[in-house]
Amino acid sequence: MLELKNITKEYNTDSGSFKAVDNVSLTIEKGSMTALIGKSGSGKSTLLNIISGLTKPTSGEIVFCGKKLGLSQRAMSDFRYEHIGFVVQNFALVNQKTAFDNIALPLKNSRSKKSAKKIEEISKRLGIYDKLSQYPYNMSGGECQRVAIARALINEPDIILADEPTGALDSKTSAEIMDLFKALNSHGRTVIIVTHDKDIASQCGRIIEISDGRISGREQ
């Protein structure tokens, strides 16, 4: 489904240049659930941002469903909107918007009846239907993450990317969130999770270890 070919991301700093991602080649199969693991600064989040189109690689190719992606800002933005759902550790919700409005953010016509129905349906699936009128600051961490997952799913993306999605949660809530990801995967969603937690990684079908910007280990 997704193929990275010789992807490198190089940054220039006052002390010189360094490669956050160094010549990485990787294939993600449709319907798979993959964990990218590694220490802080290993390059795993940079790699995830490249996959999502948030970060442009310095060199290399990205192929999606057999088609090479353009790497212009517009092309990557279109790819992200059409095919990617993103979940992050700190939820990235807008505190001044209700759960309903946060979920609706990716929708072009968020006030249509069709959009409202989609939001209601997905919120029921994720157990937050009764929270749609609440603001993030009145919800628990687990509820906020469910809202973030609903927002990531609302455009029915092909790939769900999650960057440390359980990092801000207690163990019980983390287990509940992982159960959600596994359920999504069992229904055909391709899921890629960045984590430093080996217990979280062990719940994925495939583990890829990143070290110093390179793939240092793979486990099928």
Side-chain angles (χ1 to χ4, degrees):
M1 181 183 212
L2 183 70
E3 187 176 5
L4 308 183
K5 296 183 177 181
N6 306 116
I7 292 293
T8 293
K9 179 59 182 180
E10 188 169 1
Y11 291 99
N12 294 312
T13 67
D14 292 339
S15 58
S17 64
F18 76 97
K19 294 177 180 179
V21 175
D22 188 4
N23 197 37
V24 167
S25 294
L26 176 65
T27 298
I28 300 295
E29 301 292 343
K30 183 177 181 179
S32 62
M33 186 166 176
T34 302
L36 300 179
I37 67 170
K39 296 179 180 179
S40 178
S42 63
K44 58 188 186 299
S45 291
T46 301
L47 185 60
L48 197 76
N49 287 337
I50 289 171
I51 293 172
S52 74
L54 286 170
T55 297
K56 181 180 178 179
T58 304
S59 60
E61 295 180 0
I62 302 174
V63 179
F64 179 73
C65 292
K67 181 180 179 181
K68 180 180 175 181
L69 297 180
L71 297 179
S72 68
Q73 185 175 352
R74 176 61 183 273
M76 296 307 292
S77 178
D78 288 346
F79 169 71
R80 184 168 61 253
Y81 179 80
E82 293 172 8
H83 301 289
I84 300 293
F86 214 142
V87 181
V88 297
Q89 177 177 345
N90 64 355
F91 323 131
L93 301 180
V94 181
N95 275 326
Q96 293 74 31
K97 292 183 179 290
T98 63
F100 181 99
D101 288 333
N102 269 283
I103 297 170
L105 283 173
L107 296 171
K108 290 182 178 179
N109 188 1
S110 61
R111 290 301 173 183
S112 70
K113 289 183 178 179
K114 183 178 180 180
S115 293
K117 185 177 180 180
K118 284 181 67 176
I119 293 169
E120 289 176 4
E121 288 175 349
I122 199 167
S123 66
K124 288 177 180 177
R125 283 169 51 199
L126 297 180
I128 50 171
Y129 179 69
D130 62 338
K131 304 295 180 181
L132 288 179
S133 63
Q134 297 292 315
Y135 291 87
Y137 51 78
N138 287 326
M139 294 187 290
S140 69
E143 290 165 348
C144 285
Q145 195 60 296
R146 287 170 184 264
V147 171
I149 293 171
R151 180 185 57 196
L153 290 173
I154 197 64
N155 275 336
E156 301 178 11
D158 297 294
I159 304 174
I160 302 295
L161 304 179
D163 193 354
E164 299 283 5
T166 62
L169 306 175
D170 59 59
S171 57
K172 180 178 181 295
T173 308
S174 294
E176 293 172 354
I177 295 302
M178 282 305 296
D179 285 343
L180 281 177
F181 283 121
K182 287 186 283 188
L184 291 168
N185 179 244
S186 70
H187 286 89
R189 298 282 185 188
T190 303
V191 180
I192 305 174
I193 297 176
V194 158
T195 184
H196 66 277
D197 189 329
K198 291 186 177 180
D199 289 335
I200 295 297
S202 68
Q203 299 178 59
C204 299
R206 184 186 185 196
I207 300 172
I208 297 173
E209 186 173 1
I210 309 294
S211 179
D212 297 326
R214 291 175 172 265
I215 294 176
S216 59
R218 300 174 191 254
E219 181 178 329
Q220 298 292 342

